[in-house]
Every structure is written in structure tokens, then in C-alpha cells.
Amino acid sequence: MSDVVALAEHAERLGIDAVSASDHPFPVVVPGSTGHHTFDPFVLLAQTAARTTRLQLVFSLLVAPYRNAYLTASMLATLADAAPGRVVVGLGAGYLEPEFEALGAAYDGRAGQVGATAAAMRTAWRGEPVGAAGNTLRPVPTESIRLWRGGNGPRAAREAAGLDGWMPFEAGTRIAAGSGTTRLRTDDLAERVAVYRETCGDRPGDVCFVRTSPSWLVDRPRAVDELGRLAQAGVSWVESGTPGRTPAEAKDDLERLAEVRAEAAVSS
């Protein structure tokens, strides 16, 4: 974990705005699977918060059905108390059925749990009672914990319009099939963002487009052009993944991202 936190410190020095952590406590990792191991995102982002001052700390994605909503609200409120204004939670439904089974979580009906979890957490964060006995949360966040709805499908985009943002991810045919979501490429994004914005009405909302592989950064002129086109399409954040390789290679990915962003002259 120390190498990952050191990379986050380097990202902050480069002027990158945020780092993210994903949520796979017990995946099945076999050839051809989309499952992969991760550090616990709460612990990792807490360590990152302690070693940085400006970086936004993004859960990408936190799987809503894996935990009790009020327990999750408490954990996030504690992190937000340590890093006020820096916590951003992408909430998703999850897709790895064997992981659900290992955790004793309900796979069927999982998409419906995302909105319910978001509503429950917001109630808790306002300090309102969440049970008949008058159960309340402390500490109540002093600054907003932003909630983004992850996922590519129409339901995800609709629910995102009632939260603080939408967090779709780049998915070709194979990845879309493996993760049980809607295919989404950069060329499709402008139309999908326009529909999301229309659903939002006058409410502002972030759009964070997740690019799961750093390969788009290899051709620098093309990457600069793509970043500019994404900004024009209404994307406010781009998350660029880096696979589990060596720290040196991941550092190179971060530096390429910072250079491309600077050349494209976009702010996030």
C-alpha cells in the first residue's frame, strides 16, 4: 500500500486533481475475468488523505449492496471529518456474482439498492434519526460528501440526475458483457451526456468518464484531441486507470496524464 500512497503524493505534486480506489474485497480472478484484487478503499483513501492536502478522494466505484447503508455512511463521514470537502463517492450496483456470494450480499435486485443506499446515507449525514428508536450519526459531515451514480445504463443516468453526478466508464463489447453494463465508447458520450444534462434540468451535475486503461495516453496528440472533445461533450472529470504493474510504470502513466491535461488546457 505504501507504493500506492506514494503515487498519490506524486499525483498531487503533478497538479492532478483526484485519485480513486475501487471496491473488490473478494473477487474471483481467473483468465478472461473482469475481476481484480484491490486494497480496501476506505483504508487506502484514509492513508492518502493523511499524506496529501488537496487531492479529491474518489471511490470508483463503491458497491452499494456490499455493506449496510448506515455503516457505510458512518465510515464515509469519518473519512470526510479527516478530509473535509475531499470525499467523492461513486456508487454502483456491482457485477461479480461470486463476490456477492462470498460476502452474503443479494445479487438479484442489486441495481435498486444503489438509490436506496444514497437516500439512506444522505438522511444520516443530515443528522436525522434513521430508526424508530432515534438512532443518529456522529460526526455529521460539515462539508458535502458528493455522490455520483456509477454505471452506463439508462437507469444509472436517470438516478445520477438526482445526485451530484454521473460516473460512466469506457466499455467495449467484451468489457460491457463481462460487467453486465451498456457498451459505451468516447464517440457515444456526447449524446449520452446531453440526455443526462436534460434530465438534470437546472441542477448542475458532474460527469466523470472513467477510462479503465492508460493506453489512450500513448498517442499524445490524439490524447490531447480526445480530452478536448470530452470537455466539449460536457465531461467535467476524466479518470484514467493504471493497471497493477510496477510503481515506476504507474508513475509514467500519471506523468503522461498530467502532460496531456496541461496541453489540452482543461481544468480537471
Side-chain angles (χ1 to χ4, degrees):
M1 184 183 291
S2 60
D3 287 339
V4 179
V5 176
L7 286 168
E9 292 180 282
H10 188 59
E12 184 166 74
R13 289 192 294 270
L14 290 170
I16 289 172
D17 295 306
V19 292
S20 65
S22 57
D23 186 23
H24 283 298
F26 283 94
V28 175
V29 181
V30 294
S33 168
T34 52
H36 57 94
H37 289 110
T38 67
F39 290 112
D40 177 85
F42 292 92
V43 176
L44 177 57
L45 291 178
Q47 289 286 314
T48 301
R51 296 272 292 272
T52 60
T53 60
R54 180 187 56 80
L55 282 177
Q56 298 291 294
L57 310 166
V58 181
F59 290 80
S60 176
L61 293 169
L62 193 64
V63 182
Y66 284 175
R67 300 168 186 84
N68 175 276
Y70 297 133
L71 179 61
T72 305
S74 175
M75 295 162 73
L76 290 168
T78 300
L79 178 59
D81 191 63
R86 296 169 62 192
V87 179
V88 184
V89 184
L91 274 178
Y95 61 92
L96 294 175
E97 187 169 4
E99 191 165 50
F100 278 76
E101 293 174 357
L103 296 170
Y107 186 75
D108 293 337
R110 65 195 182 282
Q113 293 186 55
V114 182
T117 295
M121 293 198 302
R122 282 183 157 180
T123 298
W125 291 335
R126 289 193 295 268
E128 298 176 10
V130 300
N135 312 65
T136 55
L137 172 71
R138 294 293 184 272
V140 172
T142 57
E143 296 191 38
S144 173
I145 299 175
R146 280 167 290 163
L147 288 176
W148 292 344
R149 176 58 157 98
N152 294 355
R155 177 174 186 162
R158 286 195 307 271
E159 291 187 355
L163 299 176
D164 302 306
W166 181 35
M167 197 175 196
F169 67 97
E170 188 171 25
T173 302
R174 183 184 66 82
I175 292 177
S179 55
T181 192
T182 302
R183 183 181 183 274
L184 182 62
R185 304 303 297 268
T186 54
D187 292 342
D188 310 321
L189 203 55
E191 181 178 352
R192 299 287 302 280
V193 170
V195 172
Y196 163 70
R197 296 286 185 203
E198 184 177 353
T199 308
C200 286
D202 294 333
R203 289 185 67 256
D206 285 316
V207 176
C208 178
F209 183 48
V210 180
R211 309 200 72 168
T212 53
S213 168
S215 59
W216 70 285
L217 294 167
V218 174
D219 184 340
R220 182 163 168 171
R222 179 178 176 181
V224 170
D225 178 67
E226 283 191 5
L227 204 55
R229 286 191 289 113
L230 289 173
Q232 290 175 355
V235 172
S236 44
W237 293 81
V238 174
E239 177 185 317
S240 184
T242 183
R245 304 173 300 170
T246 68
E249 288 176 318
K251 184 178 179 182
D252 288 343
D253 289 336
L254 286 173
E255 291 173 353
R256 276 193 292 269
L257 177 61
E259 290 166 359
V260 166
R261 192 188 79 158
E263 191 168 337
V266 295
S267 60
S268 297

